[in-house]
Amino acid sequence: MVTMKKIAELCGVSRGTVDRALNGRGRVNAETAEHIRKMAKQLGYEPNPAGKALAARKNRPIIGVILSSEGNAFFDKVIEGMKDAAREYAVYGLQVDIRTMKGYQPEEQLRLMEELQPEVKALILNPINDARVVAKIDELVAAGIFVVNVNNDVDGSKRHCYVGSDYFNGGITACALLEAMFGRRAEIGLVLGSRQVLGHKQRLDGFMHRMQRVEDFHVIDVIEHEDDEIFAYERTKAFLTAHPETTAVVSLAAGVYGIGRAVMQLPKEKRPMVIAFDSVPTTVEMMKFGVVRAIIFQHPYRQGHLAVDLAFSYLVNGRMPDKQEYIMKNEIRLLENL
């Protein structure tokens, strides 16, 4: 059995230094701490579970969570995954404080980050792609708070890792799926939440990139609805009224129920094909109605659970993530294989 004493001997430091490096107690030179963690990993060191639980309780491991989830049913499964992980780690005294917000207002997200900062040792964030949010993430990291971006990332932050889908690939997949299912000229409406969300913009970019290979596809317009079902309904209805030539609608974010209700107001023979993301209950309902023909699934439960796993592993075991990005595969699903 590998012990802290053995690691200390091999690293040329005291047992106390090893304990502080592996358990996040006290100050240890960053280079020394990294050397100790690598040695522990190489040797397969596993702390005593009872000791870990006791140490964790003393350190009060609190993970803060901020999600732009209000009105967006996709996050129900993300939150379920987080809560299940929190229950699994309850023996270690782990607490998960989940805060939610509606829409993509940087000021509100910054307010919640400020509110949680004094209380937490890790933060799981569904970030808005705004320079002020990026700066705040960097500030939290500099203050020793472990940061995981979940479901969406931002440009250029110092966050420890990202857990979510490959949005650019999601856009490519959506376009390829439409080509495979439609097989002819398409007049397309693209619908998304907000270009302030990096993932939404990346999906749009991916769709437009893949569309270069399809001569007979034409995007009429791009509609934004802040992931709000009412806005999604109203703006899709207005778009379809103004553009009766529309033959396909691709939803690149939430709001699928509102989009579907707008499409259903048209006669069946004039309804465009709809492709969307995520198997939330209202989207499945639209699939049963024959309005949404296919979805692209991005594993929300796994995203939430893994984000908490990574934060727990860092707070209790002192383990840094093995990689910068944990990508969930985009999967095409029909009603028959949900």
Side-chain angles (χ1 to χ4, degrees), residues 211-238:
M211 201 178 75
Q212 295 174 18
R213 294 167 52 183
V214 190
E215 292 183 5
D216 291 335
F217 275 14
H218 171 241
V219 172
I220 301 170
D221 201 1
V222 178
I223 306 160
E224 297 184 44
H225 55 57
E226 298 291 319
D227 278 350
D228 183 286
E229 294 287 2
I230 295 174
F231 289 163
Y233 167 75
E234 293 173 344
R235 292 170 188 177
T236 303
K237 183 179 178 181

Short mmCIF file of all heavy atoms in Angstrom, two decimals, residues 211-238:
data_model
loop_
_atom_site.label_atom_id
_atom_site.label_comp_id
_atom_site.label_asym_id
_atom_site.label_seq_id
_atom_site.Cartn_x
_atom_site.Cartn_y
_atom_site.Cartn_z
N MET A 211 -23.13 23.88 -44.68
CA MET A 211 -24.07 24.21 -45.75
C MET A 211 -23.37 24.61 -47.04
O MET A 211 -23.98 24.58 -48.13
CB MET A 211 -25.01 25.35 -45.30
CG MET A 211 -26.30 25.40 -46.10
SD MET A 211 -27.41 26.71 -45.51
CE MET A 211 -26.58 28.16 -46.17
N GLN A 212 -22.09 24.96 -46.95
CA GLN A 212 -21.33 25.29 -48.16
C GLN A 212 -21.27 24.11 -49.13
O GLN A 212 -21.04 24.30 -50.33
CB GLN A 212 -19.91 25.73 -47.78
CG GLN A 212 -19.85 27.03 -46.99
CD GLN A 212 -18.45 27.36 -46.52
OE1 GLN A 212 -17.47 26.83 -47.03
NE2 GLN A 212 -18.34 28.22 -45.54
N ARG A 213 -21.48 22.90 -48.62
CA ARG A 213 -21.43 21.70 -49.46
C ARG A 213 -22.79 21.39 -50.10
O ARG A 213 -22.91 20.44 -50.85
CB ARG A 213 -20.98 20.51 -48.62
CG ARG A 213 -19.55 20.63 -48.12
CD ARG A 213 -19.22 19.61 -47.05
NE ARG A 213 -19.55 18.24 -47.43
CZ ARG A 213 -19.39 17.18 -46.63
NH1 ARG A 213 -18.91 17.38 -45.40
NH2 ARG A 213 -19.71 15.98 -47.04
N VAL A 214 -23.81 22.19 -49.78
CA VAL A 214 -25.16 21.91 -50.29
C VAL A 214 -25.64 23.12 -51.09
O VAL A 214 -26.09 24.12 -50.52
CB VAL A 214 -26.15 21.61 -49.13
CG1 VAL A 214 -27.47 21.08 -49.70
CG2 VAL A 214 -25.54 20.63 -48.15
N GLU A 215 -25.57 23.05 -52.39
CA GLU A 215 -25.88 24.19 -53.25
C GLU A 215 -27.33 24.65 -53.12
O GLU A 215 -27.62 25.85 -53.25
CB GLU A 215 -25.57 23.85 -54.71
CG GLU A 215 -24.09 23.67 -55.02
CD GLU A 215 -23.83 23.41 -56.48
OE1 GLU A 215 -24.81 23.45 -57.27
OE2 GLU A 215 -22.67 23.16 -56.84
N ASP A 216 -28.25 23.74 -52.85
CA ASP A 216 -29.66 24.08 -52.87
C ASP A 216 -30.24 24.42 -51.50
O ASP A 216 -31.46 24.48 -51.35
CB ASP A 216 -30.47 22.92 -53.48
CG ASP A 216 -30.19 22.75 -54.96
OD1 ASP A 216 -29.79 23.75 -55.60
OD2 ASP A 216 -30.35 21.62 -55.47
N PHE A 217 -29.37 24.65 -50.50
CA PHE A 217 -29.84 25.12 -49.20
C PHE A 217 -29.67 26.63 -49.12
O PHE A 217 -28.62 27.18 -49.48
CB PHE A 217 -29.04 24.46 -48.07
CG PHE A 217 -29.56 23.10 -47.66
CD1 PHE A 217 -30.47 22.40 -48.44
CD2 PHE A 217 -29.13 22.52 -46.47
CE1 PHE A 217 -30.92 21.14 -48.06
CE2 PHE A 217 -29.59 21.27 -46.08
CZ PHE A 217 -30.48 20.59 -46.88
N HIS A 218 -30.69 27.30 -48.61
CA HIS A 218 -30.64 28.76 -48.46
C HIS A 218 -31.22 29.15 -47.11
O HIS A 218 -32.35 28.75 -46.77
CB HIS A 218 -31.43 29.45 -49.58
CG HIS A 218 -31.59 30.92 -49.36
ND1 HIS A 218 -32.82 31.54 -49.23
CD2 HIS A 218 -30.66 31.90 -49.24
CE1 HIS A 218 -32.64 32.83 -49.03
NE2 HIS A 218 -31.35 33.07 -49.03
N VAL A 219 -30.46 29.88 -46.30
CA VAL A 219 -30.95 30.37 -45.01
C VAL A 219 -31.64 31.71 -45.22
O VAL A 219 -31.03 32.69 -45.65
CB VAL A 219 -29.80 30.51 -43.99
CG1 VAL A 219 -30.30 31.20 -42.71
CG2 VAL A 219 -29.23 29.15 -43.64
N ILE A 220 -32.93 31.75 -44.91
CA ILE A 220 -33.70 32.98 -45.07
C ILE A 220 -33.35 33.98 -43.98
O ILE A 220 -33.12 35.15 -44.24
CB ILE A 220 -35.21 32.67 -45.01
CG1 ILE A 220 -35.61 31.68 -46.10
CG2 ILE A 220 -36.03 33.96 -45.15
CD1 ILE A 220 -37.02 31.14 -45.95
N ASP A 221 -33.31 33.50 -42.72
CA ASP A 221 -33.03 34.40 -41.60
C ASP A 221 -32.61 33.58 -40.38
O ASP A 221 -32.84 32.37 -40.32
CB ASP A 221 -34.27 35.23 -41.26
CG ASP A 221 -33.92 36.50 -40.48
OD1 ASP A 221 -32.72 36.73 -40.22
OD2 ASP A 221 -34.85 37.26 -40.14
N VAL A 222 -31.99 34.27 -39.42
CA VAL A 222 -31.63 33.69 -38.13
C VAL A 222 -32.43 34.41 -37.06
O VAL A 222 -32.37 35.64 -36.93
CB VAL A 222 -30.12 33.82 -37.85
CG1 VAL A 222 -29.78 33.24 -36.48
CG2 VAL A 222 -29.30 33.14 -38.95
N ILE A 223 -33.20 33.65 -36.28
CA ILE A 223 -34.09 34.20 -35.26
C ILE A 223 -33.50 33.93 -33.89
O ILE A 223 -33.04 32.82 -33.61
CB ILE A 223 -35.48 33.54 -35.36
CG1 ILE A 223 -36.04 33.67 -36.79
CG2 ILE A 223 -36.45 34.14 -34.35
CD1 ILE A 223 -37.13 32.67 -37.08
N GLU A 224 -33.52 34.93 -33.00
CA GLU A 224 -33.05 34.76 -31.62
C GLU A 224 -34.23 34.94 -30.67
O GLU A 224 -35.06 35.83 -30.86
CB GLU A 224 -31.94 35.75 -31.29
CG GLU A 224 -30.68 35.56 -32.13
CD GLU A 224 -29.55 36.49 -31.73
OE1 GLU A 224 -29.31 36.64 -30.51
OE2 GLU A 224 -28.91 37.07 -32.62
N HIS A 225 -34.31 34.11 -29.62
CA HIS A 225 -35.46 34.18 -28.71
C HIS A 225 -35.10 34.08 -27.24
O HIS A 225 -35.98 33.88 -26.38
CB HIS A 225 -36.46 33.08 -29.07
CG HIS A 225 -35.89 31.69 -29.08
ND1 HIS A 225 -35.26 31.13 -28.00
CD2 HIS A 225 -35.84 30.75 -30.06
CE1 HIS A 225 -34.87 29.91 -28.30
NE2 HIS A 225 -35.19 29.65 -29.56
N GLU A 226 -33.83 34.20 -26.87
CA GLU A 226 -33.39 34.20 -25.47
C GLU A 226 -33.78 32.91 -24.72
O GLU A 226 -33.92 32.92 -23.50
CB GLU A 226 -33.96 35.41 -24.72
CG GLU A 226 -33.50 36.75 -25.27
CD GLU A 226 -32.02 37.01 -25.02
OE1 GLU A 226 -31.57 36.70 -23.90
OE2 GLU A 226 -31.34 37.52 -25.93
N ASP A 227 -33.95 31.80 -25.45
CA ASP A 227 -34.38 30.53 -24.84
C ASP A 227 -35.69 30.69 -24.07
O ASP A 227 -35.91 30.07 -23.03
CB ASP A 227 -33.29 29.97 -23.91
CG ASP A 227 -32.22 29.22 -24.70
OD1 ASP A 227 -32.42 28.98 -25.89
OD2 ASP A 227 -31.18 28.88 -24.10
N ASP A 228 -36.57 31.54 -24.60
CA ASP A 228 -37.87 31.80 -23.99
C ASP A 228 -38.95 31.23 -24.91
O ASP A 228 -39.02 31.60 -26.09
CB ASP A 228 -38.06 33.30 -23.80
CG ASP A 228 -39.36 33.65 -23.09
OD1 ASP A 228 -40.43 33.54 -23.73
OD2 ASP A 228 -39.30 34.04 -21.91
N GLU A 229 -39.80 30.34 -24.38
CA GLU A 229 -40.80 29.67 -25.22
C GLU A 229 -41.79 30.65 -25.85
O GLU A 229 -42.20 30.48 -27.01
CB GLU A 229 -41.56 28.63 -24.39
CG GLU A 229 -40.74 27.46 -23.91
CD GLU A 229 -40.38 26.47 -25.02
OE1 GLU A 229 -40.73 26.69 -26.19
OE2 GLU A 229 -39.72 25.46 -24.70
N ILE A 230 -42.18 31.68 -25.11
CA ILE A 230 -43.13 32.65 -25.66
C ILE A 230 -42.51 33.43 -26.79
O ILE A 230 -43.11 33.61 -27.86
CB ILE A 230 -43.64 33.60 -24.55
CG1 ILE A 230 -44.45 32.81 -23.52
CG2 ILE A 230 -44.50 34.72 -25.14
CD1 ILE A 230 -44.88 33.60 -22.32
N PHE A 231 -41.27 33.91 -26.57
CA PHE A 231 -40.57 34.61 -27.66
C PHE A 231 -40.37 33.68 -28.85
O PHE A 231 -40.49 34.10 -30.01
CB PHE A 231 -39.20 35.11 -27.19
CG PHE A 231 -39.28 36.27 -26.21
CD1 PHE A 231 -38.17 36.61 -25.44
CD2 PHE A 231 -40.43 37.01 -26.06
CE1 PHE A 231 -38.22 37.66 -24.55
CE2 PHE A 231 -40.49 38.07 -25.17
CZ PHE A 231 -39.38 38.39 -24.41
N ALA A 232 -40.03 32.41 -28.57
CA ALA A 232 -39.81 31.44 -29.64
C ALA A 232 -41.08 31.29 -30.48
O ALA A 232 -41.03 31.26 -31.72
CB ALA A 232 -39.39 30.09 -29.07
N TYR A 233 -42.22 31.20 -29.82
CA TYR A 233 -43.49 31.09 -30.53
C TYR A 233 -43.77 32.34 -31.36
O TYR A 233 -44.07 32.26 -32.56
CB TYR A 233 -44.62 30.86 -29.53
CG TYR A 233 -46.00 31.03 -30.13
CD1 TYR A 233 -46.54 30.06 -30.97
CD2 TYR A 233 -46.76 32.17 -29.87
CE1 TYR A 233 -47.79 30.21 -31.54
CE2 TYR A 233 -48.01 32.34 -30.43
CZ TYR A 233 -48.52 31.36 -31.26
OH TYR A 233 -49.75 31.54 -31.84
N GLU A 234 -43.69 33.49 -30.72
CA GLU A 234 -44.05 34.73 -31.39
C GLU A 234 -43.13 35.03 -32.58
O GLU A 234 -43.61 35.42 -33.66
CB GLU A 234 -44.00 35.91 -30.39
CG GLU A 234 -45.07 35.82 -29.31
CD GLU A 234 -44.90 36.89 -28.25
OE1 GLU A 234 -43.81 37.51 -28.16
OE2 GLU A 234 -45.86 37.10 -27.48
N ARG A 235 -41.83 34.83 -32.39
CA ARG A 235 -40.89 35.18 -33.45
C ARG A 235 -40.90 34.16 -34.58
O ARG A 235 -40.71 34.52 -35.75
CB ARG A 235 -39.50 35.36 -32.84
CG ARG A 235 -39.46 36.59 -31.94
CD ARG A 235 -38.21 36.74 -31.10
NE ARG A 235 -38.40 37.83 -30.16
CZ ARG A 235 -37.52 38.19 -29.23
NH1 ARG A 235 -36.36 37.53 -29.13
NH2 ARG A 235 -37.78 39.19 -28.41
N THR A 236 -41.13 32.90 -34.23
CA THR A 236 -41.25 31.89 -35.29
C THR A 236 -42.53 32.10 -36.09
O THR A 236 -42.53 32.01 -37.33
CB THR A 236 -41.23 30.47 -34.70
OG1 THR A 236 -40.03 30.28 -33.95
CG2 THR A 236 -41.29 29.42 -35.80
N LYS A 237 -43.62 32.41 -35.40
CA LYS A 237 -44.89 32.67 -36.08
C LYS A 237 -44.76 33.86 -37.03
O LYS A 237 -45.21 33.80 -38.19
CB LYS A 237 -46.00 32.94 -35.07
CG LYS A 237 -47.37 33.16 -35.70
CD LYS A 237 -48.44 33.39 -34.65
CE LYS A 237 -49.79 33.65 -35.31
NZ LYS A 237 -50.85 33.90 -34.29
N ALA A 238 -44.13 34.93 -36.55
CA ALA A 238 -43.94 36.11 -37.40
C ALA A 238 -43.06 35.77 -38.61
O ALA A 238 -43.32 36.22 -39.74
CB ALA A 238 -43.32 37.24 -36.60
#
